[in-house]
């Protein structure tokens, strides 16, 4: 039984070392050097070339190399009877929460502005709002959204979330379903998107959604670029309805040099680094699923192929 890694956007040596550290005798292949296709029973992949997964006749598991699985479900040739699993890792959630909290505090306390002012020796105080007067709305109350919500609530923010299904979380109201979306938005000063990308959530950050937020709201997208209608976001910032945005993810990555986001004074950009999967932290769960697949046990971190996340 061989594990094939399909991923060509990074150095895979830390992945191979981390997997081998947990299971020294693991037969690891790296695409495109697959060897005998019949040996491949476990695939660990990120943005694979569409159509190739159906070439492995004995494939038992398709594992995303990250938390998101949209890169898998956009493949029309994804083998239908092979289960899909993903990464669920407290370290990934911690890093995501730290990133978003940093962005929120920077927005509230104008640290970027003070760095600019310092360059001009300008002594100028800015007014600011404190946590207890700030309402943060988190779209997507899954593994990452809930971790962030709890940490923000502990800092004194008023936090509410939106998900498909209702949830009981102490001190955090969760609005469920499309019917409660407008109410969720109407209470929000800072909107954080942590939704998975699916047919239902694509283009959800559009003019209609933005217009339901309170005036001067700030938008943070750390989920996927396809959630945002780029031109609507720019229009709502330019009209003064939104105060600005920080974007970590984009429809096309790297963000093309000619994209209007780069030079917009109220748009901050980071290069899809809100959180990164650490191979050492996640290798044990990958190997756990490898053993489960081998023995026919139930897999962990299973994704619903029906829901697409
Ligand atoms: P989860 O699957 O754990 O959570 C998804 C949440 O979204 C759930 O609460 C789910 O509701 C909710 N949801 C899904 N569809 C809808 C819908 N149509 N309407 C309302 N709510 C919906 O995902 P994670 O928290 O692990 O990850 C979220 C995303 O973050 C990933 O898919 C990935 O795209 C992105 N990501 C970005 C990274 C970065 O560096 N920028 C790093 C890692 C992940 P319910 O709970 O009811 O099912
Ligand atoms: C992920 C990501 O989904 O890095 O893990 O975006």
């Amino acid at each position: 039984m061989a594990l094939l890694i399909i991923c060509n956007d990074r150095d895979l040596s830390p992945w191979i070392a981390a997997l081998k550290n947990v299971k020294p005798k693991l037969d690891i292949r790296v695409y495109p050097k697959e060897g005998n296709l019949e040996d491949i029973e476990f695939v660990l992949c990120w943005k694979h070339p569409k159509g190739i997964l159906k070439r492995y006749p004995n494939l038992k598991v398709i594992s995303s190399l990250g938390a998101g699985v949209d890169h898998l479900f956009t493949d029309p040739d994804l083998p239908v009877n092979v289960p899909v699993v993903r990464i669920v890792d407290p370290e990934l959630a911690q890093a995501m929460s730290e990133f978003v909290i940093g962005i929120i505090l920077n927005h509230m306390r104008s640290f970027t502005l003070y760095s600019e002012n310092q360059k001009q020796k300008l002594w100028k105080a800015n007014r600011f709002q404190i946590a207890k007067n700030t309402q943060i709305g988190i779209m997507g109350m899954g593994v990452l959204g809930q971790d962030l919500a709890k940490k923000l609530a502990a800092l004194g923010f008023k936090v509410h979330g939106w998900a498909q299904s209702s949830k009981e979380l102490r001190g955090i109201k969760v609005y469920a379903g499309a019917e409660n979306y407008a109410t969720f938005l109407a209470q929000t000063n800072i909107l954080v998107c942590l939704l998975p990308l699916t047919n239902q959530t694509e283009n959800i950050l559009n003019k209609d959604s933005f217009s339901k937020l309170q005036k001067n709201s700030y938008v943070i997208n750390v989920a996927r670029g396809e959630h945002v209608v780029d031109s609507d976001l720019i229009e709502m910032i330019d009209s003064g309805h939104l105060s600005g945005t920080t974007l970590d993810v984009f429809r096309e990555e790297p963000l093309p040099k000619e994209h209007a986001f780069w030079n917009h004074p109220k748009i901050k950009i980071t290069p899809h680094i809100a959180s990164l999967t650490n191979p050492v932290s996640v290798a044990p769960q990958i190997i756990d699923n490898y053993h489960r697949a081998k023995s026919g046990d139930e897999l962990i971190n299973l994704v619903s192929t029906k829901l697409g996340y």
Side-chain angles (χ1 to χ4, degrees):
M1 177 167 173
L3 179 150
L4 174 69
I5 308 181
I6 310 175
C7 172
N8 66 7
D9 71 353
R10 67 196 80 175
D11 172 19
L12 292 174
S13 46
W15 282 90
I16 295 167
L19 292 166
K20 287 269 188 198
N21 191 39
V22 181
K23 190 170 171 63
K25 291 199 173 134
L26 183 64
D27 179 359
I28 301 180
R29 321 258 172 102
V30 177
Y31 180 84
K33 293 187 180 152
E34 306 139 303
N36 185 350
L37 300 186
E38 289 175 5
D39 297 344
I40 310 299
E41 296 188 50
F42 194 108
V43 160
L44 181 60
C45 64
W46 187 252
K47 299 186 181 167
H48 64 285
K50 304 276 180 278
I52 65 164
L53 296 175
K54 62 175 190 234
R55 295 166 56 237
Y56 312 112
N58 297 319
L59 192 57
K60 289 193 171 69
V61 183
I62 299 168
S63 177
S64 172
L65 200 129
V69 288
D70 46 292
H71 60 104
L72 294 168
F73 289 115
T74 45
D75 181 349
D77 288 322
L78 190 72
V80 277
N81 295 322
V82 180
V84 173
V85 297
R86 71 186 189 107
I87 296 299
V88 174
D89 178 37
E91 199 175 298
L92 189 80
Q94 172 78 22
M96 177 60 83
S97 296
E98 287 172 2
F99 178 87
V100 176
I101 290 167
I103 299 294
I104 290 172
L105 295 178
N106 183 29
H107 169 64
M108 290 172 67
R109 301 305 305 265
S110 312
F111 296 131
T112 308
L113 178 69
Y114 291 122
S115 305
E116 289 307 312
N117 289 354
Q118 182 177 349
K119 288 180 200 152
Q120 298 164 50
K121 301 188 178 163
L122 181 63
W123 183 276
K124 187 169 178 285
N126 225 29
R127 289 186 69 81
F128 60 86
Q129 198 174 307
I130 62 170
K132 79 176 172 67
N133 299 325
T134 306
Q135 292 174 275
I136 311 227
I138 302 174
M139 298 170 78
M141 288 295 282
V143 175
L144 302 183
Q146 286 193 32
D147 187 80
L148 175 65
K150 288 175 193 159
K151 290 185 166 76
L152 286 168
L155 286 172
F157 286 97
K158 297 219 165 71
V159 186
H160 55 284
W162 183 62
Q164 298 251 62
S165 55
S166 50
K167 301 181 194 322
E168 293 296 324
L169 293 177
R170 185 131 60 100
I172 298 160
K173 167 123 182 101
V174 179
Y175 296 87
E179 62 279 22
N180 290 306
Y181 184 48
T183 316
F184 159 82
L185 292 173
Q187 347 239 332
T188 301
N189 306 131
I190 297 180
L191 182 72
V192 182
C193 181
L194 269 169
L195 288 167
L197 179 64
T198 64
N199 290 339
Q200 284 71 43
T201 65
E202 187 172 5
N203 296 325
I204 194 166
L205 294 175
N206 56 29
K207 195 169 170 180
D208 188 48
S209 295
F210 296 140
S211 65
K212 293 188 168 79
L213 294 168
Q214 291 180 17
K215 192 165 161 47
N216 275 325
S217 286
Y218 194 76
V219 172
I220 299 170
N221 185 23
V222 280
R224 287 290 180 265
E226 290 87 343
H227 289 125
V228 179
V229 178
D230 295 0
S231 54
D232 286 6
L233 179 60
I234 292 176
E235 187 184 329
M236 294 303 274
I237 294 173
D238 288 346
S239 74
H241 184 70
L242 297 178
S243 57
T245 185
T246 291
L247 304 170
D248 182 57
V249 285
F250 305 90
R251 286 175 182 269
E252 191 181 341
E253 296 180 1
L255 182 65
K257 297 255 187 272
E258 63 282 4
H259 198 289
F261 285 161
W262 280 113
N263 294 320
H264 197 291
K266 293 185 174 171
I267 297 181
K268 292 194 178 77
I269 282 166
T270 53
H272 199 144
I273 44 69
S275 191
L276 296 173
T277 317
N278 173 359
V280 174
S281 177
V282 302
Q285 65 179 267
I286 294 167
I287 298 298
D288 187 7
N289 264 335
Y290 171 92
H291 288 139
R292 285 164 183 266
K294 208 168 170 182
S295 59
D297 288 342
E298 201 181 329
L299 300 169
I300 55 165
N301 306 329
L302 203 55
V303 169
S304 159
T305 40
K306 192 162 149 256
L307 295 174
Y309 71 93

